[in-house]
Amino acid sequence: MANPHHPPTSLVLTNPLATPSQLHRRTAFSSIPQDLQDVIFHSLSKLAYSACLLLELPMSVAAQICVVLARYCLSRSSASSRGGGNELLEDEFAHLAAAAVYTVAKTGSHPVGANSVANAFAWLGCPAPATSASATKDGDGRAGGAGAVAGVDDPREYYLTDTDYLNFQTVVLGLEQKILSAVGYDTHVALPHGLAITYLQALDFLGLPSESSSPSSSSSPSPSPSTGTTAKEGTAAKTKTTRQDLSRNTIAYLNTSLLSPQLLYLTHSPSSLAAAAIYSAAKDLDVKMPECSWWEVFDVEREELGFLVVGMRSLEGWVREKVSEREEDGGLGAGISVARAGVLVVTRKDVEKCLERRGVAVSLVTGPPVGAMADEEMEMMRRMDEDMAGS
Amino acid sequence: MASKASRWADTAEDAAHEANRKREKEEKKRLRAAEKARKLEAERQAAEARKRAEVEYHEDDRPAKRRKTTPPGDGDANASKKKKDEPAKLLKFQAPPVTPSRSVDNYDKLNDIEEGAYGWVARAKEIATGKVVALKRLKVDPTDRSGLPVTGLREIQILKDSSHRNIVELKEVVTGKPTSGIESIFLVLEFVEHDVKTILEDMPEPFLASEVKTLLWQLAAGVAYLHDNWILHRDLKTSNLLLNNRGQLKIADFGMARYVGDPPPKLTQLVVTLWYRAPELLLGATTYGRAVDMWSVGCIFGELLTREPLLQGKNEVEEITKIFELCGMPTDETWPGFRRLPNSRALRIPRSSSSSNPLATGSVIRAKFPLLTKAGCDLLNGLLSLDPESRPSAKDMLAHEYFIQDPKPKQEAMFPTFPSKGAQERRRRRDTPNAPGRGQKAAEFGSVDFSGIFTGRERELKGGGFQLRVA
């Protein structure tokens, strides 16, 4: 009889990947310029990721959520054959992120309630779906987040009423099926993290001295992909690299890549991601790597590795650039606001404003007159309520 | 049709197989010879190339260096040399694309299989390929404030994450036309002909010992895979075990299943069909683990032996009573800590029962299964341990002596076949008359017409067919 403990490698080593035509359609036919799409995706996944941290979800679930979000973005923005517009703009980004968190966590080992998700997103500076009341309450809906950065923590800014919860639930539940249907209900994600550890072992990198033998500086044990600091965190100060440094750095690269607008998790297999993260981490820490082309052992081509390494390492600079060009004309302008926890929050309104400034004819799928966003949202919620009531 | 005279069809097939095998063997031989010749040729060429290279790049040491690493004169030198010379062959898996769900219109419904509490299942045919599948519709309650049913989503997630020969395969998820704003969702599952429960109900005599072993081994293999991947099934029972015509058992219906972490999260105790529910669940434990599935496996083991569910309680109290009747009363020795479970206070269990009379209150499993071997009894006893800690894990179970001893598990291919209910195949009628009851009036013959006595013959001959039943 066959060995029952042998999972077919395809489940562990493959993820659904974007097809070239999907990537092409995404860049060529979308009504949103590529750079805006990039910012939107980054903001989405960063929001979802931060919410996962707040909700104390395991890293595996957070990563799964980010990948599912990426699949959704790809599926929606490349399926624009019907409209010619971009269906990503149908929904508010923060709500998409919230729905992804709620839906994916629901099936995993750590389900969270919709209200907890609502709280997390409120704290991150994304108010519950705008009712007329809450829309007037805090202007464009991001005042809370901006205040928090300045160090003022006013609970009133992220307090949610029962109505807020209800609205939030309604929107999230409506998006739940939309997301799942767009990704073909395929929420299985083969994560590269476990592979990376195996590869580190195989390369004998874990034979480096352990942290316990050489007392380390106080580096936080949880690797987080806050794009600002992770990659080179706490390495310069130390003389000797420990194996914890290396594995932490590797995992940090993997987590950071989740937020890459290049959708690295949708263009490369887990084994390539793992190899590239190890390469980057080892380069950062000046750990000696084997001189042969060791990546081939893990079925990674040299070119692919190079591409991924560049992709992974460029993210930090890219985010800095986006943040610094906030006020510039042509960029997202005032669009990006850095909210609590360093999350870039982009709303649909921002995207529209930006498109307007650039002189692009705004042809949104839902096509409301610009500036009537709140009304449009009300309209959508009304429609949704009708649907709920009518069934 | 498959069931009819399957025995004879088999032999004809066997002959064809035999011929095939022979042909394949010869083919392989030929290939091997060709390969050898090719290798020799390659070697010769490589040697030539090396000579040339040595002349050409005498200064540049890289290619020469690469070749030097080949150990000369070794048995497998050929293979390694070849590898070094060509660019490395990288293993690339075909990755599926990211696509939205297809429409259910790609499938043609053939017949309903069942309409359960959880959903509706039908046999269907994929129009493009003609492949027969099972379609399972998720019940979506649009008024539910927690969105799509978590049970359905978990089933999708877990089946998508799982790939094992003893776990039913989820091919894709398709959506139907939106009715009242919400799309209906269908799971496209591989079609498996039978479920074990129906077979047990219909079979005239129980499974042979070797057949029980095959089924149980496959069940344990599937459960071991799930547990390895942090999945609890939480509703193992014979009606959720499917069996195909090749003797393969598949675990199905993951509506209750979920991922667990370590430390185990707080879980609901309202899982597992009552007759298969572990005693710790009945006593209200909220932190439980893989052992609850192993208890169900034990119940299934018993059911495979007797064709009857082992512990048929009408309610929770009766169920736990039946468990104690079979497995003995729990004591602080046999189940440390059971008194701390929420519902155990309601039970009035004598504290010193075991010391006073172990025979009267101990397990009667050995007596209940007199035909089971000692190893089999040992396994069943272990699976039905009251203390979840002392139940074997699925992995332990696979290594159990029971599966090593004679009779060996029957080969799956040798498994008897049955008419499929789901495929609407005609099944052997088995309504045997009851024994005459007391006080019944004796039959009077009256006038009897014998002319119809042979008309049913043809049908009879086609029946279940002759089966040589050997262990």
Side-chain angles (χ1 to χ4, degrees), chain A residues 17 22 106 109 187-188 299, chain B residues 98 146 148 157 161 258:
Chain A
L17 294 183
Q22 272 177 321
K106 190 152 100 171
S109 60
T187 46
H188 168 74
D299 299 311
Chain B
V98 181
S146 58
L148 295 177
Q157 176 77 52
D161 292 348
R258 67 162 284 169

Side-chain angles (χ1 to χ4, degrees), chain B residues 234-392:
Chain B
R234 304 200 297 179
D235 197 16
L236 288 173
K237 54 179 173 180
T238 42
S239 54
N240 284 344
L241 302 181
L242 308 181
L243 186 70
N244 70 13
N245 277 336
R246 271 96 57 215
Q248 272 180 7
L249 179 141
K250 311 243 176 197
I251 301 173
D253 199 340
F254 285 70
M256 286 278 178
R258 67 162 284 169
Y259 276 99
V260 290
D262 185 22
K266 235 181 165 195
L267 303 167
T268 169
Q269 25 169 319
L270 277 179
V271 287
V272 192
T273 306
L274 185 61
W275 294 347
Y276 304 84
R277 201 178 294 164
E280 67 265 28
L281 290 172
L282 290 164
L283 292 187
T286 50
T287 51
Y288 53 84
R290 296 162 178 159
V292 298
D293 279 346
M294 297 321 290
W295 175 272
S296 308
V297 170
C299 295
I300 291 167
F301 187 9
E303 189 170 340
L304 287 176
L305 293 169
T306 62
R307 289 181 292 166
E308 275 279 304
L310 189 59
L311 299 155
Q312 308 184 39
K314 284 192 196 70
N315 52 40
E316 277 85 350
V317 176
E318 207 186 304
E319 182 70 18
I320 195 95
T321 314
K322 287 197 184 265
I323 289 176
F324 291 159
E325 272 170 21
L326 181 70
C327 309
M329 291 303 264
T331 64
D332 292 320
E333 290 88 58
T334 57
W335 188 359
F338 82 95
R339 286 180 205 277
R340 282 194 292 278
L341 292 174
N343 297 346
S344 72
R345 244 156 289 146
L347 307 169
R348 238 163 279 139
I349 296 170
R351 226 159 234 287
S352 56
S353 61
S354 70
S355 51
S356 62
N357 190 358
L359 272 181
T361 54
S363 161
V364 292
I365 291 177
R366 186 86 193 84
K368 205 170 170 214
F369 297 93
L371 294 178
L372 198 56
T373 59
K374 190 168 168 298
C377 249
D378 180 55
L379 178 61
L380 185 57
N381 251 324
L383 290 169
L384 295 180
S385 307
L386 291 174
D387 180 11
E389 298 292 319
S390 37
R391 279 172 225 152

Side-chain angles (χ1 to χ4, degrees), chain B residues 25 34 56-57 86 93 121 218 237 260 262 285 291-292 453 461:
Chain B
K25 239 186 205 165
E56 277 176 36
Y57 308 100
E86 325 167 331
F93 290 102
V121 185
Q218 296 188 62
K237 54 179 173 180
V260 290
D262 185 22
V292 298
I453 200 166
L461 284 174

Side-chain angles (χ1 to χ4, degrees), chain A residues 248-308:
Chain A
R248 192 179 298 138
N249 215 334
T250 304
I251 298 296
Y253 267 113
L254 287 178
N255 291 347
T256 307
S257 326
L258 287 167
L259 314 178
S260 163
Q262 287 173 298
L263 308 180
L264 295 179
Y265 276 70
L266 292 193
T267 51
H268 296 275
S269 66
S271 60
S272 315
L273 289 166
I278 292 173
Y279 186 92
S280 304
K283 264 272 140 72
D284 278 350
L285 299 172
D286 272 335
V287 176
K288 198 166 172 291
M289 282 181 269
E291 273 159 23
C292 59
S293 34
W294 54 269
W295 42 87
E296 285 184 355
V297 176
F298 307 121
D299 299 311
V300 184
E301 283 161 26
R302 197 168 182 284
E303 285 87 272
E304 197 183 358
L305 182 85
F307 176 86
L308 273 173

Side-chain angles (χ1 to χ4, degrees), chain A residues 1-2 4-5 7-9 11 13-17 19 22 64 71 74-75 102-103 106-109 111 166 169-170 173 176-177 180-188 296 299-301 304 387-388 391, chain B residues 88-93 95-101 142 144-148 150 153-154 156-157 160-165 173 175 180 182-183 185 217 221 224-225 228 258-261 265 395 398 409:
Chain A
M1 275 179 227
H5 302 298
T9 41
L11 264 187
L13 288 175
T14 55
N15 271 325
L17 294 183
T19 60
Q22 272 177 321
Q64 191 190 359
R71 285 183 196 164
L74 177 78
S75 175
Y102 175 70
T103 306
K106 190 152 100 171
T107 61
S109 60
L166 204 67
Q169 272 187 18
T170 312
L173 299 190
E176 187 176 39
Q177 183 155 31
L180 288 175
S181 182
V183 301
Y185 286 85
D186 192 353
T187 46
H188 168 74
E296 285 184 355
D299 299 311
V300 184
E301 283 161 26
E304 197 183 358
D387 286 347
M388 296 291 230
S391 53
Chain B
K89 265 192 201 127
L90 303 183
L91 181 61
K92 291 286 172 196
F93 290 102
V98 181
T99 46
S101 291
D144 187 357
R145 289 305 293 177
S146 58
L148 295 177
V150 66
L153 292 186
R154 278 185 183 153
I156 293 173
Q157 176 77 52
K160 278 265 181 198
D161 292 348
S162 303
S163 167
H164 189 268
R165 62 197 301 279
V173 179
T175 50
S180 66
I182 293 196
E183 288 176 329
I185 305 165
W217 198 91
Y225 176 84
D228 265 359
R258 67 162 284 169
Y259 276 99
V260 290
K395 245 185 193 160
L398 287 172

